[in-house]
Structures are given as structure tokens and as C-alpha cells.
Amino acid sequence: MEQKIFLKESDIPKQWYNLAADLPSPMLPPLGPDGKPIGPEMLAPVFPMNLIEQEVSTQRWIDIPEEILDILYRWRPAPLRRAVNLEKYLKTPAKIYYKDESTSPPGSHKPNTAVPQAWYNKQFGIKRLTTETGAGQWGSALAFACKLLGLECKVFMVRISFDQKPFRKFMMQVWGANCVASPSNETNAGRKILAESPDTPGSLGMAISEAVEAAVSDKSGKTRYSLGSVLNHVMLHQTIIGLEAKKQLAMVGIKKPDVVIGCAGGGSNFAGLSFPFVADKINGANIKIVAVEPTACPTLTRAPFAYDFGDTACTTPLLAMYTLGHAFVPQPIHAGGLRYHGMAPLVCQGVVEGLIEAKSLNQTKCYESALLWAHTEGFICAPETSHAVAAAIDEAVKAREEGKEKTILFNYSGHGLMDLVGYNKFIEGQLSDYELPQEELEKFTSCLRDLPQAKPQKTGKW
Amino acid sequence: MEQKIFLKESDIPKQWYNLAADLPSPMLPPLGPDGKPIGPEMLAPVFPMNLIEQEVSTQRWIDIPEEILDILYRWRPAPLRRAVNLEKYLKTPAKIYYKDESTSPPGSHKPNTAVPQAWYNKQFGIKRLTTETGAGQWGSALAFACKLLGLECKVFMVRISFDQKPFRKFMMQVWGANCVASPSNETNAGRKILAESPDTPGSLGMAISEAVEAAVSDKSGKTRYSLGSVLNHVMLHQTIIGLEAKKQLAMVGIKKPDVVIGCAGGGSNFAGLSFPFVADKINGANIKIVAVEPTACPTLTRAPFAYDFGDTACTTPLLAMYTLGHAFVPQPIHAGGLRYHGMAPLVCQGVVEGLIEAKSLNQTKCYESALLWAHTEGFICAPETSHAVAAAIDEAVKAREEGKEKTILFNYSGHGLMDLVGYNKFIEGQLSDYELPQEELEKFTSCLRDLPQAKPQKTGKW
């Protein structure tokens, strides 16, 4: 029995799947500063119109241009793998499959959307993309995509990461991106913050403000902004993960998984694997679909469903989502990709409907699972991915206790080779757990009362 | 046409190939301190007898135990890939294939021998392995193998790397190895050096002395030493690379490559890919086989063929090989794996016979090639691997100039994700080239005159 299931390049999915086409209840629209639903044209200074069309589309299948596939072939189709060594260790009757998204050049699922975003921008005549990055996972993916497509790339990297974690910055440099510490002197937003607090460590919110400003203020009109998660078109591009996984499961005779798991920060890797299975669930399949988040940033498990801004500086449209409040300051846990205050609206609507379950895990449990993974399967996973590994282990143990031969599928969203400091701290006993206190949660979400209220719609079927 | 050629796990080679069986002229024997050929028993305190048997074997095919394959399946068979994007960029009629050894958990070809070495030691009743490591590539591979097989692993890491490059150390820690800075207070050799020079940055020679002492001085007899290159049994284990590549080339209808390329430090990744093709060449095939080394450490291209010690401290048997002298101090180029003073005797005998060609390249040319690789194929290669990339590009350009549709095959020995500091320095213009001055070479090799003389044998057929 083969442990690695490879799909031929010629069998790669040729279309992305759009969950918006199949949601049982409609999503609430994004709102503008006036509290009214925004039209596509309001996004035009920030994104190219072809991506805005995808953002608002309710078409079920959207063709993947051949030129995008030509770039994805560098690492796609990604392997589906069976964790036979972990299964043996756990003595579980469950089959644990995982989709290995760590094999891309930047080492995660992020280029699945970075490449299409760069390509559509180029088609639209754009010459330059701006973005923000925290620890650098997204910035390096966009740098990679822009280099292959011949676009300029400008990355505003949160200063404390820029100074303390130089390796992702060097990676962006290899792919020719211009990466600066944020706040910088290059934007009004940055200059204003620096004048007030010259020694600020920066934040993702500040970096977003700078990246958006750098895009919309370019008078040539040839610069746009790019976001690595949360938005509908990002989820769309990531569905290639789940669509490939379905074909690969079929290759080993599995009609459907019993459990599908992904870690969730902004939602993109979780959505990428799970949405094609959410569609099956809508059509009657019995699949448990689990989004795993950290207890330190419990967006889906404890936050209210509300209209909120996507950024700290309140410059984006209001999105209806589970949110800890746009001013939320997450603890410095090592899973940098899971520290966003909000969550992709499409994922949130899946949770509202009951199609998707959410759970939160402590980081020490996740690191323990990551070590067990490294000691059995051999590979070193990203701290974000360790949340999915831990949840998969929980499900496999449950299957053993129930004596059920379940098929568990999870998304291995990235490797941890750039995150070894976190492992070192865990092994040295320097990491502790953090559960967001209720009064903190209430403090951060209190700002939502002053914004338009969101009434989530659901059918109640799940 | 698929760019990635995957061999099924069930089609993995079940035997290693031993070039010693087919060499047209016999190799010169290793000599003991008395200048006489050593017997296997002299190696017994250092290595287990089952590996010593492989070391001296002239049997052509040696079975790979099923339990070793079970571990290798975690990443093997490794993909054979075609660099179509680089080909397009170079406008070459050549097909450039590469064997991707970067997909193993530690990120290089090294576990191909670390796993068998740990397994044979375990079979022999050994509980603990010791080794040395410079930048950490080999130490992390042995840590990985020991963890999966339940052996203890002790790594003596050159102090300057231990202090300046903590990430490989953290990787060893993830796999449970005990990694200490060398020289350490744990051995007589280490204590002696520290007493004389408390602030020494350490060296590979010192670390070897400590690792060997730590193995042979364990009175329980349950500790042995493990070496990651140079020796015959290491080359043997690596031949799985070339044997897989042959099957994969056959899958796309290629009977033989025209050019086979590998970078060479101690020789193991080069031997692993090339030896099965050297066998074909001995049997009449027309294949150009090229070992690439740095101009800063020109072992095959400029050093004499002589008997020399494998370590700086002169504790190993004398090996007949091309050598820059055991006291050679290499320049601090970034390809840490290519800075060994000697070279695997099997590789050297291939060069003596004319079966293998050697060439040396400057590091800035190699980094330029690595950037071109990252900008076309998208992946970031190890500084060592960049030597093979650069040589492959040279051959592809030559094929274009000659108008010949050659098949070029090279070994992609590892990724560069732990080596981004070197890329940063190159991009910032801080790296320069170094050609070993003739008087330096003569100074370092002068010690060889006092050792037994080696007369290389060859048939003169190639």
C-alpha cells in the first residue's frame, strides 16, 4: 500500500470551487463607511476588477487559466499522504490522510492564491503589488509569485518580525521583493505613527494601512494591494487543495472522509481543504468538518458574529464575521498565522449554518503533537499546522476508543523549518498556555456595539 | 508532459549498487599506523561489524533490508523532476532533469545513509551513536534516523556553527539528539584543546576526534561512531538515488543521460547519483560524468593523489585519495558541505580512471546560478547544490551552442532554507571568490611527503 498518493499533472483540477454558489443561506453583504452595502467599484482602487468579480461571484465553478496551472505545476498537484507511522503509534483503526501543502517553494499553501492574484493583476495591466506580512509566510509567497510573473513586489513587514526573524525577509529578497520594516517613512500612515512612537514594534494593522496606502496613492494607477486570507477570492483559489484531495482519496478507493480538519487563522488553508467537502455535506454527505484555532485567539469558538473592520486602522469595508474586535491584540503565540482578530466570512457562514465545527487548542498541546509527528512521521510542521495535527490525533484516539475505522483528512498547511525557535522554546519549557480571559474578550469586542449590527441567517438543517 | 516523475513505493530499488565490484583497476587498501593494510577488526571499536563488512565488500548488489525501506518510504522514492522553466529561460534544446533529494525531513540526501547506519548499528546491539557536524546538515540527518530507530544520538558540533547557526541545532533537538559545542569538556581531546585555547572556534577535525573518542571510550561497548560521507558504505547507501533516477528516466523513455552532474565535498551525493551511471560507462555507455567542487577547496581538480588521514588529528587509517592535506584550512565559503580536505576513495578511483571528470567553480557564479534557479524553477537550493545547478546550466548552454538535444541529469542534493544568510550576503555584495593560491596548496600538501606513497592504478581506457 502506497503512503504517498500522487495525482498526475494532467489530472490537476481545471476549475476552482466557489462555496458561495451553494450556501443554504445568503451571506450578509460587506458595508461601506455609510453603513450601506458596497458595490464592486468601491474596491477598484485597491484590487483589479477581475479579482473583484471573483470576490462577488456566486458562480459555482470558475476556470483556472492555463498559465496559472503552468506555474502551479512546479509543486502541484500536491501529495496526499497517509500517516501510517502515526497510526501505528496511536494503535488507531482510523486512516489518517493529510494533504501536504509544505512542498511549495515558500513552504506553505499561500502561493495557491499568491500566484493567481499576481496573474490576474498582471492581466489587468498592474505592474506592482503591495502587501503586509507578519512573520513573513504570506510576504514570501507573494514575492515568489511576483518574481515568476515579472511584477514588482513591495512588502511591509511588522518591524519586530523584520528585526527578530530575518530569514523570511532574506527569502523575499531571494525572490526580488522590496521588504521594509513597518511602520516605515514611505507612507503618511507610517510617518505619522513614527512621529508619535519612534520605537514602536509595529503591528499587522499598521502594516495593512501602509500597504493599502502605498497601493492607492500610486498616481500611475499601476499598483494594487494583495491580501493573503479572509476574502472570498482567496478562499476560492485555495479550493484546489480539497479538489485534488478528493481525486486522490478516490484513487485509493475512499468515497468520502469521515472527518476533515484544518487550522484556521484568517481561514484560507482550512477553506481550501474543506469547502469541496462542505459542498458534499450540503448535498447530504455525513462529514464532520473541524476548524481548529488557538485558545489565545478564539475567533470562531468564543467571539460574537458581528460587522467589523478587517484592519486595525478601520480603513476596510465592514465584513460580517466572527470577530474579536479590530483592536484585538493577540498574545505572541508562535503560530503567527493564527493570530488574526476576524475570520473569512465564508468560513463564518459555514459555522453559522452548523456545517463547520470549531474547536480551540492550547499551544503546548499543539507543540506536543508536533513533536509526536516529528518522532513518528519524521517531518517538522509549522506551529500553525500543529493545531491540525493535534486535532487529527484527538480524532484518531476517539476512533480507537469507539473502535471505528474512520478516515481522517487534514491539511498539512506548511513546514516548520523557519519556526525552529518556537520548538526550541517549547522543548526548553519556556512556553505556556493562554486562554483569553472573558473580561479581555468583552473589552476588545465592546467597539462592535457602535458598528452596524449583523443578524446571521441560517436554515437550521445542520 | 509531466514535469515531476514519481516512482511508486513498490518500485523502489531493493538493492544498493557497489561500484567496488566493477572498478577496472583495484583500489589501494587503507593503511594502519604501521603503513600496512588494515584488517576489518581494526575498525571494530569504531563501527559495527555489519557496516565494516559493507565497507570492504566487493559484492555488486547488496540487499536493502525491508525495515530500512519502511523508513525511507517517508520521502522515497524521491521525485525526478524536469527543469522546464530553466530550459525555456536558457533557450536550450537540452532536457534538464534533476533528482530532488531536498524532500527528506532534514532536507538533503544525508538520511539515505543515516537511516541504514542507525539500523545496522541497532541490529548489532548498539544503543548510541556519536558523530561530528559542521553546519549541521549531517548531524540533523543522524538525529532524525536515531529518533526513528530508538537510538541515542550525540553530536559534537563545531563551536562557531553551534553559536552562530542555532537552527540546525534546534532541528537536532526536535529529533531528540544531544548536541554539544566542540571542543567540549566531555572528552580528553576536547579538554586538552580547551586548556590550550579556551576561545577556539573549533573545527571539524577537533569534532571528529571528540566523536570518535566518545564512541571508543564507552566501556559498555554499546556506542559506535557514524560518518556521513567519504567511506565506501556511505557511497553504497547513497546509490539508491541513481538507481531510482534510472527507473524514472526509463519511465519517460530516456535510455541514458548524456551528462550526469553532482557537487562533491566528501563525495556522497555525487556518488549516490552517478555510480550506477559509472557502471554503465564501464560497460561502454557514452556518458559524461562531472563532479563539481569549489575553487576554494579544489580536491579533485588540483590536489595530489596520496595516502592521507581522514581527520585533522591523524587518528583514522590512511586512505588513498586526492587530498589537500589533513591540516588544510578551507576558506569560510557558504557551501559548508564542500569544505573537506579529502574525497571518497571510490570517487577518487573513478577520477583516476578517467570515468569521472572534475571541475571547480567560484562561489559567486554558483550563487548567481542559484538565484536564476529560484527565479525560474522557484525553489531555493542549498549553497552546495548550487554548484551542481551552475554546472548543469553550463552544459545546457553548451548544448544550445552545439545545437544538441542532450539529456542532462543532476543531483539536487538539498534545499537552502537553512542557508538564507549566504544568499543575503551574496545579494548584498558581501561575497567574493577565492582561488586557493598554489603556494598555499603546496604548504598544506607538504605533510603528505612523510606518509606512505600512493601509486594510483588505471587501465587507461577512458
Side-chain angles (χ1 to χ4, degrees):
Chain A
M1 179 213 57
E2 307 275 317
Q3 301 170 20
K4 302 182 283 292
I5 299 129
F6 294 108
L7 198 63
K8 281 187 179 176
E9 287 159 24
S10 52
D11 289 332
I12 200 169
K14 306 295 193 300
Q15 296 180 308
W16 291 299
Y17 169 68
N18 185 5
L19 180 61
D22 290 320
L23 278 177
S25 302
M27 290 173 70
L28 297 179
L31 305 181
D34 56 358
K36 291 182 182 165
I38 59 164
E41 70 289 350
M42 287 186 68
L43 296 170
V46 183
F47 300 109
M49 195 49 74
N50 47 14
L51 283 177
I52 295 171
E53 282 164 15
Q54 289 188 350
E55 183 63 20
V56 301
S57 172
T58 53
Q59 193 182 316
R60 182 171 293 115
W61 296 99
I62 294 179
D63 289 344
I64 309 178
E66 192 63 44
E67 286 177 43
I68 290 176
L69 291 175
D70 275 344
I71 295 178
L72 300 185
Y73 288 142
R74 282 174 176 79
W75 74 99
R76 300 209 78 86
L80 179 75
R81 308 187 55 165
R82 185 167 165 193
V84 287
N85 307 288
L86 178 64
E87 288 173 17
K88 265 181 221 157
Y89 177 89
L90 295 174
K91 297 188 176 70
T92 179
K95 291 175 186 161
I96 305 175
Y97 285 93
Y98 64 102
K99 188 68 176 161
D100 188 358
E101 293 295 316
S102 74
T103 65
S104 73
S108 80
H109 67 292
K110 289 288 186 191
N112 296 335
T113 185
V115 169
Q117 287 194 48
W119 188 85
Y120 282 107
N121 271 284
K122 188 178 181 184
Q123 287 296 109
F124 196 68
I126 299 304
K127 305 286 186 200
R128 183 167 166 266
L129 288 179
T130 67
T131 198
E132 76 291 331
T133 200
Q137 191 73 266
W138 167 244
S140 55
L142 193 66
F144 160 79
C146 284
K147 172 50 76 178
L148 295 189
L149 283 155
L151 297 183
E152 281 180 59
C153 181
K154 175 86 180 188
V155 182
F156 293 88
M157 186 172 187
V158 175
R159 173 168 291 284
I160 190 161
S161 295
F162 187 90
D163 292 338
Q164 292 183 352
K165 299 180 179 178
F167 299 104
R168 282 276 172 196
K169 178 176 72 187
F170 294 163
M171 197 187 258
M172 293 181 233
Q173 190 184 32
V174 167
W175 287 313
N178 181 346
C179 175
V180 294
S182 168
S184 76
N185 269 312
E186 301 188 15
T187 65
N188 289 331
R191 283 185 291 268
K192 185 164 172 245
I193 297 161
L194 284 176
E196 289 163 8
S197 4
D199 297 325
T200 176
S203 75
L204 213 47
M206 295 176 195
I208 294 178
S209 303
E210 286 203 276
V212 172
E213 182 188 326
V216 301
S217 65
D218 176 0
K219 293 198 179 105
S220 76
K222 299 294 188 192
T223 301
R224 289 294 184 279
Y225 166 75
S226 177
L227 188 65
S229 194
V230 181
L231 299 178
N232 300 343
H233 67 277
V234 178
M235 306 299 125
L236 176 78
H237 300 155
Q238 293 291 358
T239 58
I240 195 166
I241 302 172
L243 295 168
E244 284 181 5
K246 274 192 162 184
K247 289 190 173 197
Q248 289 162 312
L249 287 174
M251 285 167 70
V252 289
I254 295 174
K255 285 184 189 161
K256 71 159 189 72
D258 298 292
V259 187
V260 175
I261 297 166
C263 63
S268 78
N269 97 76
F270 168 76
L273 179 68
S274 71
F275 279 6
F277 298 101
V278 172
D280 292 346
K281 191 164 178 173
I282 292 170
N283 291 321
N286 179 18
I287 308 175
K288 178 175 177 179
I289 299 174
V290 187
V292 193
E293 59 186 15
T295 51
C297 189
T299 315
L300 291 172
T301 47
R302 292 178 58 202
F305 186 90
Y307 268 114
D308 195 9
F309 296 103
D311 68 327
T312 318
C314 305
T315 62
T316 73
L318 290 163
L319 301 173
M321 58 185 177
Y322 290 98
T323 173
L324 293 159
H326 53 267
F328 177 68
V329 180
Q331 290 292 303
I333 56 164
H334 278 278
L338 304 184
R339 290 164 57 200
Y340 184 66
H341 69 275
M343 182 64 70
L346 274 169
V347 171
C348 293
Q349 187 57 30
V351 172
V352 165
E353 269 293 1
L355 289 160
I356 296 167
E357 298 177 24
K359 73 187 271 183
S360 67
L361 294 177
N362 277 316
Q363 73 173 349
T364 57
K365 177 189 168 86
C366 294
Y367 269 110
E368 268 166 32
S369 302
L371 278 190
L372 177 57
W373 183 260
H375 295 175
T376 53
E377 290 301 315
F379 290 89
I380 297 175
C381 69
E384 291 84 355
T385 310
S386 74
H387 290 70
V389 171
I393 290 173
D394 283 349
E395 290 290 339
V397 168
K398 196 175 152 207
R400 180 184 67 207
E401 288 163 356
E402 297 174 350
K404 286 188 184 166
E405 288 188 30
K406 291 180 187 172
T407 296
I408 298 164
L409 170 68
F410 77 91
N411 201 7
Y412 192 83
S413 55
H415 65 63
L417 299 183
M418 317 298 283
D419 305 283
L420 289 163
V421 170
Y423 277 89
N424 171 254
K425 286 195 178 157
F426 172 68
I427 294 170
E428 302 285 353
Q430 293 168 21
L431 292 192
S432 56
D433 287 331
Y434 179 83
E435 200 139 337
L436 185 68
Q438 187 61 24
E439 62 273 20
E440 286 279 299
L441 190 149
E442 284 166 18
K443 188 188 80 183
F444 282 121
T445 53
S446 61
C447 65
L448 301 172
R449 278 180 239 141
D450 305 327
L451 297 172
Q453 297 304 295
K455 288 229 174 105
Q457 304 193 43
K458 61 174 170 177
T459 59
K461 279 194 201 163
W462 292 276
Chain B
M1 179 212 58
E2 306 277 314
Q3 300 170 21
K4 301 182 284 293
I5 300 129
F6 294 108
L7 198 62
K8 281 187 179 176
E9 287 158 25
S10 51
D11 289 333
I12 201 169
K14 306 295 192 300
Q15 297 181 307
W16 291 299
Y17 167 68
N18 185 4
L19 181 61
D22 289 320
L23 278 177
S25 301
M27 291 172 71
L28 297 179
L31 305 181
D34 56 359
K36 290 182 184 166
I38 58 164
E41 70 289 350
M42 289 185 66
L43 296 170
V46 183
F47 300 110
M49 196 48 74
N50 47 13
L51 282 178
I52 296 172
E53 282 164 14
Q54 289 188 351
E55 183 63 20
V56 300
S57 171
T58 53
Q59 195 182 316
R60 182 171 293 115
W61 295 101
I62 294 179
D63 288 345
I64 309 178
E66 193 63 45
E67 287 178 43
I68 290 177
L69 291 176
D70 274 345
I71 295 179
L72 300 185
Y73 288 141
R74 281 174 176 79
W75 74 98
R76 301 208 76 86
L80 179 75
R81 308 189 53 165
R82 185 166 165 194
V84 287
N85 306 288
L86 179 64
E87 289 172 17
K88 264 181 221 157
Y89 177 88
L90 296 174
K91 299 189 176 68
T92 178
K95 292 175 184 160
I96 305 175
Y97 285 93
Y98 64 102
K99 188 69 175 159
D100 188 358
E101 293 295 316
S102 74
T103 64
S104 72
S108 79
H109 67 291
K110 290 290 187 190
N112 296 334
T113 185
V115 169
Q117 287 194 48
W119 189 85
Y120 282 108
N121 271 284
K122 188 178 180 182
Q123 287 296 109
F124 196 69
I126 300 303
K127 304 286 186 202
R128 181 167 167 266
L129 288 180
T130 68
T131 198
E132 76 291 331
T133 200
Q137 190 73 264
W138 167 245
S140 54
L142 193 66
F144 160 79
C146 285
K147 171 50 74 179
L148 295 188
L149 282 155
L151 298 182
E152 282 179 59
C153 181
K154 175 85 181 188
V155 181
F156 292 88
M157 187 173 186
V158 176
R159 173 169 291 283
I160 190 162
S161 294
F162 186 92
D163 292 338
Q164 293 184 351
K165 298 180 179 176
F167 299 103
R168 281 276 172 197
K169 177 176 73 189
F170 294 163
M171 197 186 259
M172 294 181 234
Q173 190 185 31
V174 166
W175 287 312
N178 179 348
C179 175
V180 295
S182 168
S184 76
N185 269 313
E186 301 188 17
T187 65
N188 289 330
R191 283 186 290 269
K192 186 162 172 248
I193 297 162
L194 285 176
E196 288 163 10
S197 3
D199 297 325
T200 175
S203 76
L204 213 47
M206 295 176 194
I208 293 178
S209 303
E210 286 202 273
V212 172
E213 182 188 326
V216 301
S217 65
D218 176 1
K219 293 202 177 102
S220 76
K222 299 292 187 193
T223 301
R224 290 292 183 280
Y225 167 75
S226 176
L227 189 65
S229 193
V230 181
L231 298 179
N232 300 342
H233 67 275
V234 178
M235 306 298 125
L236 177 77
H237 300 155
Q238 293 291 359
T239 58
I240 195 167
I241 302 172
L243 295 168
E244 284 181 6
K246 272 191 164 185
K247 289 190 174 197
Q248 288 163 310
L249 286 175
M251 286 167 70
V252 287
I254 295 174
K255 286 185 188 161
K256 70 159 189 71
D258 298 292
V259 187
V260 175
I261 297 166
C263 63
S268 78
N269 97 76
F270 168 75
L273 179 68
S274 70
F275 279 6
F277 297 102
V278 173
D280 292 347
K281 191 164 177 173
I282 291 171
N283 291 321
N286 180 17
I287 307 175
K288 179 176 177 179
I289 299 174
V290 188
V292 193
E293 59 186 15
T295 51
C297 189
T299 315
L300 290 172
T301 46
R302 292 178 58 202
F305 186 90
Y307 269 113
D308 195 9
F309 296 102
D311 68 327
T312 319
C314 306
T315 61
T316 72
L318 290 163
L319 300 173
M321 59 185 175
Y322 290 97
T323 173
L324 293 160
H326 53 267
F328 177 69
V329 180
Q331 290 291 303
I333 57 165
H334 278 278
L338 305 184
R339 289 163 58 200
Y340 183 65
H341 68 275
M343 181 63 68
L346 275 169
V347 171
C348 293
Q349 186 57 30
V351 172
V352 165
E353 270 292 2
L355 289 160
I356 295 167
E357 297 175 28
K359 74 187 272 182
S360 67
L361 293 177
N362 277 316
Q363 74 173 348
T364 57
K365 177 190 167 86
C366 294
Y367 269 110
E368 269 166 33
S369 301
L371 279 190
L372 177 57
W373 183 261
H375 295 175
T376 53
E377 290 301 315
F379 289 89
I380 297 175
C381 68
E384 291 84 355
T385 310
S386 73
H387 290 70
V389 171
I393 291 172
D394 283 349
E395 290 290 339
V397 168
K398 196 174 151 207
R400 180 184 68 206
E401 288 164 356
E402 296 174 350
K404 286 187 183 165
E405 287 189 28
K406 291 182 186 172
T407 297
I408 298 164
L409 170 67
F410 77 91
N411 202 8
Y412 192 82
S413 55
H415 64 63
L417 299 183
M418 316 299 281
D419 306 282
L420 289 163
V421 171
Y423 277 90
N424 172 253
K425 286 196 178 158
F426 172 68
I427 294 169
E428 302 284 353
Q430 292 168 21
L431 292 192
S432 56
D433 287 330
Y434 180 84
E435 199 140 337
L436 186 68
Q438 188 60 26
E439 61 273 19
E440 286 278 300
L441 190 149
E442 284 167 17
K443 189 189 79 184
F444 282 121
T445 53
S446 61
C447 64
L448 301 172
R449 277 181 240 142
D450 305 326
L451 298 171
Q453 297 304 294
K455 288 228 174 107
Q457 302 194 42
K458 62 174 170 175
T459 59
K461 279 194 201 163
W462 292 277

